[in-house]
Amino acid sequence: MKKTIALVFVLSFFFPVIAQDTTSNKIAVLPIISNGIDLASVQTAESILRMELSNASTMNLISEKKTLASLGNENCTDEECAKEIGEKLDAKQVLLCKLNPLGEKIIVQYVLVETSTGKNLLSERATAVSVEDLDAVMKRVAVSVAKQKPFNTNQEVGNIVGQESLESLRQKARYNFGVGFGYLFPSVGYDMDKEKSFTINAYFDYEVKDYAVGLMLGARQGFAINLYGNYLFSKTDVCPYVGGTLGFHWVSQHSQSYNYDYGYGYYDSNYSDKDGDGIELGLQGGVRLFHTYNFQIFIQGEYIMTFNDYNDKAFVFTIGIL
């Protein structure tokens, strides 16, 4: 008799817990709210969301029929209403989803509400570049809800949405290769009998936020290799910038020069032994055109100082494409 009473007591303790766990492990997906999107597309998006959530989540998805019955003829558009519907359905969580057109894009907003507290467990936004892109977006929304993680953290091969694909193209464009042409105008050294000389430069460029850094290989009265960094003043198509360079310049084409010593009556040829190679510093500025595109045209002015025996200094003007 005592054993029977003990068994009844144990069962009476566990059964409510089991029942509570069963009812608290449900999730309700409310009908998607839309404005300006055709009904067929909305229904298809909702069907994909429910199916993918059922596959991705460990929670029990309350049927669409029961959810609609609890709503009656009312529309549920906010967290307070979602909490009430969740209580009617004994759901632990309720998912609200809205689709709003913005030009050709569709903005997908979704909120996951905890029924017991009315707290937002997740509040996210995603962008579909077209109606067709809703397929991939709703699959990612389901994964986001199931894991309760932001939309952008569940990117995987095969589930990249259209907007991320476009962003990826722009990110790749931040790695630039380019060529520039122009002229070097000596101010000190460089055999001042020459007014200018042709230059051609190759650029390996990388943009990060408001800066561009890179490597320049140049044929400019010899050969130069410089590292450079520029501050970009704009994120628009017309982007002014200023920066500096540091590298090495192997300056060539210095003539054999002899200084006549009037005191001793002969030419001093020590000048010809001077070294034309040296560390080079530069200040540069210019403008990048079509900056938001996958190619850019730049116009640049630079003042370079080479620390060699000739103390070469010059202005360099170039135009090119990245």
Side-chain angles (χ1 to χ4, degrees), residues 98-153:
K98 300 178 182 179
L99 304 181
N100 295 309
L102 183 63
E104 295 181 355
K105 299 178 181 179
I106 299 175
I107 307 301
V108 181
Q109 298 171 294
Y110 59 100
V111 177
L112 184 64
V113 179
E114 185 178 49
T115 301
S116 61
T117 62
K119 177 184 176 182
N120 288 356
L121 300 176
L122 192 67
S123 183
E124 286 288 307
R125 189 189 77 171
T127 301
V129 296
S130 64
V131 173
E132 291 77 11
D133 194 37
L134 279 174
D135 181 13
V137 172
M138 300 315 287
K139 290 178 181 178
R140 287 274 296 280
V141 170
V143 174
S144 171
V145 171
K147 296 182 178 180
Q148 294 188 25
K149 291 185 178 181
F151 183 88
N152 292 331
T153 61

Side-chain angles (χ1 to χ4, degrees), residues 80 82 118 186 202 320:
E80 183 178 351

Side-chain angles (χ1 to χ4, degrees), residues 127-228:
T127 301
V129 296
S130 64
V131 173
E132 291 77 11
D133 194 37
L134 279 174
D135 181 13
V137 172
M138 300 315 287
K139 290 178 181 178
R140 287 274 296 280
V141 170
V143 174
S144 171
V145 171
K147 296 182 178 180
Q148 294 188 25
K149 291 185 178 181
F151 183 88
N152 292 331
T153 61
N154 55 72
Q155 296 157 315
E156 296 177 357
V157 175
N159 72 355
I160 301 299
V161 300
Q163 184 66 23
E164 291 169 338
S165 180
L166 294 175
E167 290 171 355
S168 177
L169 288 175
R170 184 63 189 94
Q171 288 171 0
K172 289 180 181 178
R174 289 181 178 176
Y175 295 92
N176 301 313
F177 168 75
V179 178
F181 305 87
Y183 287 97
L184 181 147
F185 298 86
S187 62
V188 176
Y190 286 106
D191 295 337
M192 291 295 293
D193 57 321
K194 296 181 179 180
E195 293 183 358
K196 63 181 180 180
S197 61
F198 179 75
T199 70
I200 180 171
N201 308 319
Y203 298 90
F204 302 88
D205 183 90
Y206 176 63
E207 291 184 38
V208 50
K209 292 186 178 180
D210 299 325
Y211 298 91
V213 295
L215 174 70
M216 187 281 295
L217 303 177
R220 44 168 73 169
Q221 278 210 356
F223 178 74
I225 177 170
N226 288 336
L227 298 173
Y228 64 86

Side-chain angles (χ1 to χ4, degrees), residues 2-120:
K2 291 181 179 180
K3 291 183 179 180
T4 303
I5 295 174
L7 179 60
V8 171
F9 176 78
V10 171
L11 292 176
S12 66
F13 176 78
F14 280 105
F15 272 122
V17 174
I18 295 172
Q20 184 179 358
D21 288 342
T22 302
T23 56
S24 65
N25 198 38
K26 295 179 182 179
I27 183 170
V29 177
L30 299 182
I32 292 179
I33 303 166
S34 66
N35 180 25
I37 302 173
D38 64 280
L39 181 60
S41 297
V42 175
Q43 290 175 340
T44 302
E46 183 178 332
S47 177
I48 293 171
L49 175 60
R50 294 183 66 89
M51 182 180 67
E52 294 297 330
L53 185 58
S54 178
N55 294 332
S57 178
T58 58
M59 301 183 70
N60 298 319
L61 182 63
I62 296 175
S63 69
E64 183 179 4
K65 183 178 180 180
K66 288 183 178 180
T67 303
L68 291 174
S70 67
L71 283 169
N73 296 323
E74 300 294 329
N75 289 326
C76 188
T77 60
D78 54 47
E79 290 87 335
E80 183 178 351
C81 170
K83 182 179 185 301
E84 294 176 1
I85 297 300
E87 291 172 348
K88 289 182 182 179
L89 295 171
D90 292 328
K92 182 179 181 180
Q93 298 171 359
V94 178
L95 178 64
L96 276 168
C97 186
K98 300 178 182 179
L99 304 181
N100 295 309
L102 183 63
E104 295 181 355
K105 299 178 181 179
I106 299 175
I107 307 301
V108 181
Q109 298 171 294
Y110 59 100
V111 177
L112 184 64
V113 179
E114 185 178 49
T115 301
S116 61
T117 62
K119 177 184 176 182
N120 288 356

